[in-house]
Amino acid sequence: MASSSSSSSSWELWFFLLLSLFFSLGDSLTCSSRKFSNNNLYSHCSDLSSLSAFIHWTYDSSNSSLSVAFVAKPSTSAGWIAWAVNPTSTGMAGSQALVAYLQGGVPVVKTYNVASYDSVKPSKLSFEVWDATAVFSGGELMIFAKLKVPEAATAVNQVWQVGPSVDGTDLGVHEFKPPNLNAKGTLGLSGGGTNSASSGGKIDSRTMRKNIHGVLNAVSWGLLFPIGIVIARYLRVFPSADPAWFYLHISCQISAYAIGTAGWATGLKLGSESEGYVVYDHRNIGIALFSMASLQMLALFLRPKKEHKYRLYWNIYHHSIGYSILILSIINVFKGFNVLSPAHKWKLAYVVAIAVVGGVAVVLEAVTWLVVFKRKPST
């Protein structure tokens, strides 16, 4: 009994040690565990939503000044980091940036006016900045600065970024992956953390449109079109399913086209708002899909009768475009997943759904061929 009790206590001790180690490691990855070599102390800090960046800040309402420390790792050893305030909007264009990089091995801070996506130049900022310094340690760059904010302001729009290189004062273009595109938010001056969308933690309208675009296209091109093709290919083999299969097929395809058109239009709107960022493969496949689907809708009105001499050519046209849509739509849904980088569960849900459709198609393929072979040659 004593041995059993001792063994139990030993396991409990090891459990609590491992638990303590886990929490200490987790805490080391957060802003609250950061200690700066210049001994600067700040009232608030937050782990930013992307690019593994951190922000520390103190707001002095008596003189409307904001002291910040921004910490991030450049995308390459010769790269740069930037933290900016946008006085007019929530994106990069119009932001006033503090940029840090190594110049001859020495960390420096420069101020840049990001007038537009094509104009990023060293310049004085639209607000007063002082005590701006940079520190390089452990592969990370840190920006320390104080700046003037509008009187009675409760929050500022912030943007942050990391880039690969610096040539003189020209900054190498950063990547346009979701973590880079989502590196923006609202900084509450008196604390309360930051969020990557708007105050209150709500999803901003652009992110909402991205999500809507993804859902509409996954449902239409990625599921309804394949299901409509399965219905047409296999149910028409059974005489008892005629003409029900036809009405099911066109109902599915027309619904898919209507939903897909809404998703396509949303994609065009997102593209027009993303100056300087184009996902060429995803965009071009999307345009091709919409064009071919429009031809399929036209085929519904040009469909000759079964005994018509041109019916064979119509069948070739209709089937070849239909199967092309099937292949390209699934490819483009996965390309869309790569662009949006949604939670893994959404990609898994689509994979399961399309796998079920594929599995049903395989079973029906075998069944319908058996039915055909068992029929008399005359039929």
Side-chain angles (χ1 to χ4, degrees):
M1 293 292 293
S3 175
S4 175
S5 176
S6 174
S7 175
S8 175
S9 299
S10 177
W11 277 110
E12 290 176 0
L13 177 62
W14 276 107
F15 174 77
F16 283 112
L17 285 174
L18 288 172
L19 195 64
S20 300
L21 178 61
F22 173 79
F23 281 111
S24 66
L25 287 173
D27 185 65
S28 68
L29 299 176
T30 64
C31 69
S32 59
S33 63
R34 294 276 167 168
K35 304 296 181 183
F36 299 117
S37 58
N38 57 12
N39 295 322
N40 281 12
L41 297 176
Y42 298 89
S43 302
H44 315 286
C45 78
S46 180
D47 307 326
L48 293 174
S49 59
S50 64
L51 300 177
S52 300
F54 307 90
I55 183 79
H56 301 247
W57 74 100
T58 297
Y59 174 61
D60 186 350
S61 58
S62 64
N63 60 1
S64 300
S65 66
L66 179 66
S67 300
V68 297
F70 172 71
V71 184
K73 188 174 183 178
S75 54
T76 70
S77 58
W80 51 269
I81 70 167
W83 180 82
V85 170
N86 194 326
T88 58
S89 65
T90 59
M92 179 188 295
S95 62
Q96 307 290 294
L98 297 165
V99 180
Y101 52 86
L102 296 178
Q103 189 176 68
V106 178
V108 296
V109 177
K110 304 289 184 181
T111 55
Y112 282 73
N113 178 18
V114 187
S116 69
Y117 290 96
D118 297 323
S119 178
V120 182
K121 298 179 180 178
S123 170
K124 288 186 176 180
L125 304 186
S126 60
F127 45 79
E128 186 181 356
V129 177
W130 66 98
D131 293 345
T133 59
V135 173
F136 180 73
S137 176
E140 292 179 329
L141 278 166
M142 307 173 196
I143 297 175
F144 300 94
K146 295 180 181 178
L147 52 124
K148 202 78 170 178
V149 298
E151 291 185 9
T154 58
V156 294
N157 298 321
Q158 65 170 345
V159 185
W160 62 96
Q161 199 54 257
V162 298
S165 61
V166 182
D167 182 9
T169 58
D170 294 332
L171 306 179
V173 178
H174 63 77
E175 292 182 330
F176 287 89
K177 296 180 178 180
N180 302 84
L181 299 177
N182 295 330
K184 58 183 179 179
T186 304
L187 182 68
L189 298 180
S190 298
T194 64
N195 36 114
S196 58
S198 60
S199 57
K202 298 179 181 179
I203 299 176
D204 66 272
S205 59
R206 179 171 171 78
T207 301
M208 180 64 74
R209 286 197 297 275
K210 286 183 179 180
N211 294 340
I212 292 172
H213 170 72
V215 170
L216 291 177
N217 288 337
V219 170
S220 58
W221 309 109
L223 282 177
L224 287 179
F225 263 111
I227 290 172
I229 290 174
V230 169
I231 290 171
R233 178 169 174 81
Y234 301 113
L235 294 189
R236 66 180 178 179
V237 173
F238 305 96
S240 60
D242 192 23
W245 73 263
F246 174 72
Y247 294 112
L248 284 173
H249 171 64
I250 61 173
S251 297
C252 197
Q253 303 306 71
I254 290 175
S255 299
Y257 181 72
I259 297 171
T261 299
W264 185 72
T266 307
L268 291 180
K269 176 64 174 175
L270 289 168
S272 67
E273 295 173 348
S274 304
E275 184 180 350
Y277 173 59
V278 181
V279 186
Y280 289 100
D281 290 346
H282 185 65
R283 182 198 65 177
N284 294 339
I285 293 175
I287 293 173
L289 280 172
F290 180 75
S291 301
M292 289 189 293
S294 299
L295 284 176
Q296 288 293 68
M297 295 301 107
L298 183 63
L300 178 65
F301 302 100
L302 299 178
R303 179 172 175 260
K305 294 182 178 180
K306 291 182 179 180
E307 63 274 10
H308 197 282
K309 63 179 180 179
Y310 292 126
R311 180 59 181 254
L312 173 64
Y313 304 108
W314 182 90
N315 284 339
I316 294 172
Y317 144 71
H318 185 61
H319 294 167
S320 59
I321 292 180
Y323 289 123
S324 297
I325 291 175
L326 172 66
I327 296 169
L328 288 177
S329 62
I330 295 174
I331 291 174
N332 217 31
V333 167
F334 282 102
K335 285 187 175 293
F337 280 131
N338 292 336
V339 173
L340 287 177
S341 295
H344 178 69
K345 63 181 179 180
W346 299 113
K347 187 173 182 179
L348 179 62
Y350 176 74
V351 169
V352 170
I354 199 64
V356 169
V357 175
V360 170
V362 169
V363 172
L364 289 177
E365 185 74 22
V367 170
T368 51
W369 275 108
L370 287 174
V371 171
V372 170
F373 282 132
K374 286 182 178 180
R375 287 179 179 169
K376 294 180 180 181
S378 61
T379 58

